[in-house]
Amino acid sequence: MASLKTTVAGIALDCCIYNASGPRTGTVNALVKIGESRSGAVLSKSATLLCQDGNPLPRYKEFPLGDACPGSINSEGLPNQGIDYYISEEVVSAIGSLAKHYFVSLSGLSLADNLEMLSRAMKVQGIAAIELNLACPNIPGKPTMAYDFEQMDAVLQAVTTHPSFGSKPLGVKLAPYFDVPHFQRAASILNKYPIKYVVCTNTIGNALVVDAENEQALIKPKAGFGGLGGAYVKPIALANVRQFSQLLREDIDVVGVGGVASGTDAFELILCGAKAVQVGTKHWSEGASCFNRISEELSVLMTKKGYKSIEEFRGKLKENFCRPKAAPVVPKAANDGQGSAGGISALHVLQIVLCILVAVFLAREFKVTSKDVAAL
Ligand code: DHB
């Protein structure tokens, strides 16, 4: 039987499938249900410093996309019980008694809140790691921090030099990126700090899903704008996992999340480099039994393919594609906006040489002399 064992941030997990922060993670009962399933770890709802109710209802909806995984849109606005609940003896020992590693997600409303939560969580025995969520798109008036590179840099600097930092591994949850320079910029910032893993990727923020029958947005908060999840985001999650697996330091693990509904989905993320895979939307619609089913499907698929462990195929997406050449560095003014970098490429030289050879061949074949050419 194939082993689904892995490590994230040096923490050994029996199963590489576990829950995403968000759906069904707000209470001890929900967290225990995850712990009782085959989920490899238990990750809390993103906590704020104080308990809060979140945005008005309806704030989460699913809508169809194919048979396997629904799409989802949410703008919950961080409803949660506050950090002291998620690091309480009640919650920590309930998960500990199930012999599962407990990860706590933090999403402070300010840097000061994040530092305060970090220092409280770092002190608690029984918490394996802390996941700093820099990607929540759903707080009215607050931009997604992972898109503001200067702020992201400043936050990571402050967090990793805080006196409380260091006793537990720190992971960072990222927003999805769509442009190669953004992947590079984010990676160059992350690579400066002693973080142990990243999670790629949060929902695609500020999407709008319309209910045509009622001629209104599907959810109420933020004028209907919310984070898009489920099947729609899987290709984006795959791209982000692949990019960050290649751009980050070797000691930073990548955890994949986005549109995972089956063992095959999980397999694809691992093939792109993920050391573990989180499940969000499908956990919401199916409940904690999804971790058993998806793990079993992954195990069956691996056995069929002859893999005994995830390390045998992790990051080994076959290169049947053309790798883009490194773009030449062109001064901005020299770029004509048509994609031409100026100068003659190797391809141009080859084309010219081929033209000359064809001309010489034709000239010989048809006995063309210099006189004939002159006569033209
Ligand atoms: C919420 C949404 C997110 O995408 C996230 O990362 C954290 C919280 C929310 O709306 O509660």
Side-chain angles (χ1 to χ4, degrees):
M1 175 139 153
S3 161
L4 301 188
K5 281 183 199 288
T6 191
T7 60
V8 172
I11 301 160
L13 308 182
D14 278 341
C15 176
C16 60
I17 310 293
Y18 68 104
N19 71 289
S21 175
R24 300 178 186 268
T25 51
T27 63
V28 67
N29 287 345
L31 294 169
V32 163
K33 279 194 187 138
I34 298 167
E36 286 170 343
S37 78
R38 219 181 142 187
S39 180
V42 178
L43 170 62
S44 76
K45 174 88 185 155
S46 287
T48 50
L49 188 57
L50 301 174
C51 162
Q52 55 179 48
D53 291 337
N55 292 338
L57 302 173
R59 60 193 185 190
Y60 176 87
K61 287 274 169 137
E62 287 172 358
F63 48 101
L65 177 83
D67 305 330
C69 186
S72 69
I73 184 160
N74 81 78
S75 182
E76 299 226 288
L78 284 163
N80 77 98
Q81 323 263 348
I83 186 63
D84 289 338
Y85 176 79
Y86 297 105
I87 62 173
S88 65
E89 165 70 18
E90 180 197 1
V91 175
V92 175
S93 62
I95 297 164
S97 68
L98 299 166
K100 288 284 161 81
H101 288 296
Y102 181 36
F103 290 54
V104 172
S105 170
L106 308 180
S107 188
L109 300 177
S110 66
L111 175 57
D113 284 6
N114 273 328
L115 293 176
E116 178 57 32
M117 289 195 285
L118 184 85
S119 60
R120 290 187 199 178
M122 281 281 177
K123 286 187 205 123
V124 178
Q125 273 208 343
I127 295 174
I130 292 170
E131 188 168 302
L132 182 63
N133 184 355
L134 299 183
C136 175
N138 296 340
I139 305 301
K142 286 205 184 268
T144 305
M145 204 184 295
Y147 289 141
D148 179 340
F149 290 121
E150 276 170 27
Q151 207 193 351
M152 178 159 112
D153 200 351
V155 167
L156 289 175
Q157 170 75 26
V159 163
T160 56
T161 53
H162 193 261
S164 65
F165 178 78
S167 56
K168 298 182 195 303
L170 180 77
V172 176
K173 182 150 184 189
L174 297 172
Y177 297 101
F178 302 93
D179 204 13
V180 171
H182 292 175
F183 289 118
Q184 291 167 337
R185 181 83 198 276
S188 74
I189 293 168
L190 294 159
N191 279 336
K192 292 197 293 179
Y193 297 105
I195 61 167
K196 297 290 184 209
Y197 71 99
V198 295
V199 182
C200 303
T201 158
N202 208 322
T203 53
I204 300 175
N206 297 298
L208 183 63
V209 180
V210 170
D211 167 1
E213 200 180 318
N214 296 304
E215 301 179 15
Q216 62 187 26
L218 212 54
I219 57 169
K220 186 170 177 185
K222 281 189 71 181
F225 292 89
L228 187 69
Y232 290 95
V233 305
K234 193 180 80 174
I236 288 116
L238 288 167
N240 277 259
V241 166
R242 177 96 175 138
Q243 289 276 0
F244 282 108
S245 300
Q246 294 177 337
L247 291 167
L248 291 176
R249 292 193 323 258
E250 281 227 333
D251 63 309
I252 301 179
D253 293 332
V254 177
V255 175
V257 56
V260 173
S262 69
T264 304
D265 296 330
F267 181 85
E268 290 173 12
L269 278 164
I270 297 166
L271 209 52
C272 288
K275 287 201 84 176
V277 171
Q278 298 179 351
V279 184
T281 296
K282 200 63 186 171
H283 177 204
W284 205 312
S285 61
E286 190 175 324
S289 63
C290 74
F291 303 111
N292 308 344
R293 180 183 57 74
I294 293 170
S295 305
E296 180 58 20
E297 287 172 6
L298 175 59
S299 172
V300 168
L301 179 62
M302 283 170 59
T303 304
K304 204 166 115 196
K305 285 174 171 278
Y307 294 124
K308 293 197 173 61
S309 74
I310 71 165
E311 282 309 310
E312 288 175 14
F313 64 93
R314 188 176 67 80
K316 295 184 181 157
L317 184 68
K318 288 182 188 156
E319 301 216 355
N320 62 334
F321 43 75
C322 298
R323 182 167 282 285
K325 286 198 205 94
V329 181
V330 182
K332 266 208 168 102
N335 193 331
D336 60 3
Q338 308 289 316
S340 160
I344 297 178
S345 69
L347 191 64
H348 284 133
V349 174
L350 194 68
Q351 283 169 339
I352 292 165
V353 170
L354 273 176
C355 284
I356 293 170
L357 287 175
V358 169
V360 169
F361 171 78
L362 289 174
R364 281 197 181 160
E365 195 71 3
F366 296 104
K367 302 204 167 49
V368 180
T369 65
S370 52
K371 268 190 200 158
D372 298 326
V373 176
L376 291 173

